[in-house]
Amino acid sequence: MATLCDLATRLPLVIGGLLDRETNLKRGRFREETMTDILTGALAAFAGPELVISYPIEKDTGGDLDLRFWNVSEGRDLWVRIQAKRLNAAVVQNKNRSYSELLHRPSPKHDYQFRTLRDTPPPWVPLYLFYNHASVTMDPNFGGWSPLSAGRT
């Protein structure tokens, strides 16, 4: 039986591969919402019928997805508010690879999204989730690096 650790290992490869394949699309691209739906669908497979998927009002919360995890036996929980961003393809409208929506502002009346997310009240923990192309993660400039190896000498 697959575990959440298996999901955490495999899902980035699936999403990265999809982003690489979008160059074959005639129109459009895979959006952050597409990747987030894949993530929540995969999580739902582990949680069973008790899982409630909640998409907050993004302009008010700064988040795309709210997740609440409970450890019933220890009486502990973790509330995570996630804002997803995807890496642009190699060249998009004369822009090189970047997370062009990091300075997103829902409207002139609203603050920047990152500030709204940053100011999320407790017990929520604000996080960014970055979706990257597999070809970028395989770039030799990143060879040997992983989040687990960061900071080690």
Side-chain angles (χ1 to χ4, degrees):
M1 177 176 190
T3 66
L4 280 175
C5 290
D6 295 330
L7 176 66
T9 302
R10 294 179 187 156
L11 196 57
L13 301 173
V14 170
I15 288 174
L18 283 173
L19 291 173
D20 278 346
R21 293 189 62 174
E22 76 182 359
T23 57
N24 298 326
L25 297 176
K26 298 275 188 225
R27 294 178 348 128
R29 64 186 194 136
F30 294 116
R31 299 174 300 131
E32 293 160 8
E33 294 85 357
T34 306
M35 303 302 129
T36 301
D37 287 342
I38 290 169
L39 170 69
T40 55
L43 287 173
F46 288 95
E50 295 83 20
L51 176 69
V52 176
I53 296 173
S54 173
Y55 297 103
I57 299 172
E58 188 174 4
K59 66 180 175 49
D60 296 336
T61 65
D64 288 317
L65 179 65
D66 286 346
L67 298 175
R68 293 172 60 185
F69 299 93
W70 287 278
N71 182 326
V72 176
S73 64
E74 293 186 23
R76 295 176 41 195
D77 59 359
L78 173 65
W79 299 25
V80 181
R81 177 158 288 151
I82 298 173
Q83 174 51 239
K85 295 296 177 194
R86 59 152 288 154
L87 188 65
N88 287 333
V91 177
V92 176
Q93 298 173 351
N94 299 319
K95 296 178 185 176
N96 291 325
R97 289 197 191 274
S98 67
Y99 300 97
S100 62
E101 296 296 319
L102 280 176
L103 286 178
H104 175 69
R105 198 172 194 161
S107 75
K109 295 186 297 184
H110 290 88
D111 201 353
Y112 285 105
Q113 186 180 59
F114 80 88
R115 288 187 182 137
T116 304
L117 181 67
R118 175 198 66 197
D119 296 338
T120 295
W124 294 104
V125 176
L127 294 175
Y128 271 99
L129 175 62
F130 294 102
Y131 298 123
N132 297 308
H133 297 72
S135 58
V136 171
T137 63
M138 303 301 179
D139 187 300
N141 290 315
F142 301 114
W145 189 92
S146 76
L148 297 176
S149 66
R152 294 183 187 164
T153 56

